[in-house]
Amino acid sequence: MEHGLEQKFCRFDEALEVSNGVEIQGYASLFGAADQGGDVVEAGAYARSLRDLARQGRRVKMLWQHDPAQPIGVWDEVREDAKGLYVKGRLLENVEKAREAAALIEAGAIDGLSIGYRTKRSRKSDKGHRLLSELELWEVSLVTFPMLPSARVGAKGEGLIDASLRELAGALESARRIISGA
């Protein structure tokens, strides 16, 4: 089933961070999670596309707000793992919009990624979701308004699990203070 270019948005549960002024990493897509449009990406959906890109010596593009006239960096690593589509890359310091993006990320004004892709194979689930089983990945953009609330990005070297545990520990400490009246 062929479709035109589509976009899928992801929001991070914590602020998107920039390390060393330019490095970012995280998940642009999570397997099995229904987004706000009712789409669910299945494990392996990007595999063929990533193999084809590698064979052709091409990369997934890093864009600003899906604008093909505004590349802002490079994705050095794009891969599927058990959780989803992991991306790691660099904002290019010599590109004005990339410097702006880094400042917006650091301030917490931008916290989302969105993928631009073409659906190659999909089907409807018994719950009415569109199950995406094969996608042709074109680009991953930094965006203002993402669609998948459960995706995450962290600074280089910061484990995503570690960040979640720190967030949970902070919430528990806050609850302890409230309960103890401190």
Side-chain angles (χ1 to χ4, degrees):
M1 170 184 281
E2 295 267 344
H3 295 281
L5 182 63
E6 299 177 69
Q7 299 168 348
K8 178 119 0 264
F9 302 93
C10 299
R11 176 182 297 292
F12 308 106
D13 291 341
E14 59 189 74
L16 175 65
E17 294 182 39
V18 177
S19 173
N20 299 325
V22 298
E23 297 175 353
I24 58 175
Q25 68 178 344
Y27 285 90
S29 176
L30 297 175
F31 298 138
D35 69 15
Q36 295 174 13
D39 288 346
V40 176
V41 177
E42 295 182 314
Y46 302 101
R48 175 177 276 165
S49 180
L50 294 175
R51 276 194 310 270
D52 289 347
L53 286 167
R55 189 177 64 249
Q56 297 165 10
R58 296 179 23 226
R59 291 183 174 193
V60 173
K61 305 298 183 201
M62 181 191 293
L63 302 179
W64 177 251
Q65 307 283 356
H66 295 294
D67 185 345
Q70 294 192 61
I72 58 171
V74 293
W75 294 115
D76 296 315
E77 185 177 353
V78 179
R79 64 176 164 77
E80 285 187 320
D81 63 18
K83 186 174 182 175
L85 183 69
Y86 173 83
V87 295
K88 178 180 177 183
R90 297 169 284 129
L91 296 168
L92 298 178
E93 294 178 290
N94 293 332
V95 175
E96 182 178 350
K97 187 56 76 176
R99 289 191 306 272
E100 291 174 21
L104 291 166
I105 292 165
E106 288 172 345
I110 295 291
D111 63 356
L113 287 179
S114 176
I115 58 174
Y117 63 96
R118 175 173 288 138
T119 300
K120 302 294 273 185
R121 287 189 306 141
S122 68
R123 66 186 185 288
K124 286 288 185 189
S125 75
D126 56 353
K127 296 181 180 182
H129 292 122
R130 184 171 68 145
L131 302 175
L132 305 175
S133 55
E134 185 179 345
L135 301 174
E136 181 182 349
L137 184 63
W138 289 21
E139 54 95 4
V140 177
S141 286
L142 291 169
V143 296
T144 307
F145 296 109
M147 189 179 273
L148 184 62
S150 56
R152 294 178 181 264
V153 158
K156 180 184 177 204
E158 176 180 88
L160 299 176
I161 293 172
D162 292 343
S164 296
L165 291 175
R166 280 194 301 279
E167 183 178 320
L168 177 59
L172 291 172
E173 177 61 23
S174 294
R176 185 195 64 75
R177 283 194 302 265
I178 291 169
I179 291 169
S180 69

